[in-house]
Amino acid sequence: LGTAATLSDTWLQLMSDKHYPEIGFVGTFPGVVATDVAAHGTFPKWLDPFIEKSMKAVGLDPAFCGRLHAMIVSSPNAARRPATFFTVNQVSPTSVTLEGR
């Protein structure tokens, strides 16, 4: 997951710096929403158990994730820089702390 976060951060910075300086980019990590995507034939069958286990371990509840992203987008911190990153520390299913960078 650390590599995924680094790659995501780098992509957002490059997009905001070189390609679309007029657009603000916001990244959250982890950005995984717990869904039943594996049940729809998206991945090979042998991979389904690993995807499902990963979703349960790090995936966020879809409604909670929606509220979280609405809070981030409406935050003044998101508009201060062309690329803003938040690390999500879920304290409970309804409580979260955000580390901005």
Side-chain angles (χ1 to χ4, degrees):
L1 286 177
T3 302
T6 302
L7 288 173
S8 176
D9 288 0
T10 302
W11 182 83
L12 288 174
Q13 288 174 344
L14 287 173
M15 292 299 284
S16 68
D17 290 344
K18 298 189 188 249
H19 300 290
Y20 301 100
E22 70 280 4
I23 297 174
F25 290 83
V26 177
T28 56
F29 184 82
V32 178
V33 179
T35 65
D36 61 348
V37 69
H40 298 288
T42 307
F43 302 100
K45 285 284 183 205
W46 62 268
L47 195 55
D48 288 353
F50 300 105
I51 298 293
E52 291 172 4
K53 188 174 183 178
S54 299
M55 289 284 188
K56 288 179 182 173
V58 297
L60 300 173
D61 173 73
F64 177 78
C65 192
R67 289 190 304 273
L68 173 67
H69 284 91
M71 180 177 65
I72 289 171
V73 169
S74 64
S75 164
N77 291 334
R80 290 193 179 133
R81 296 188 315 215
T84 306
F85 310 94
F86 292 92
T87 301
V88 179
N89 300 307
Q90 191 166 359
V91 179
S92 74
T94 58
S95 177
V96 67
T97 60
L98 294 171
E99 175 189 338
R101 50 190 163 85

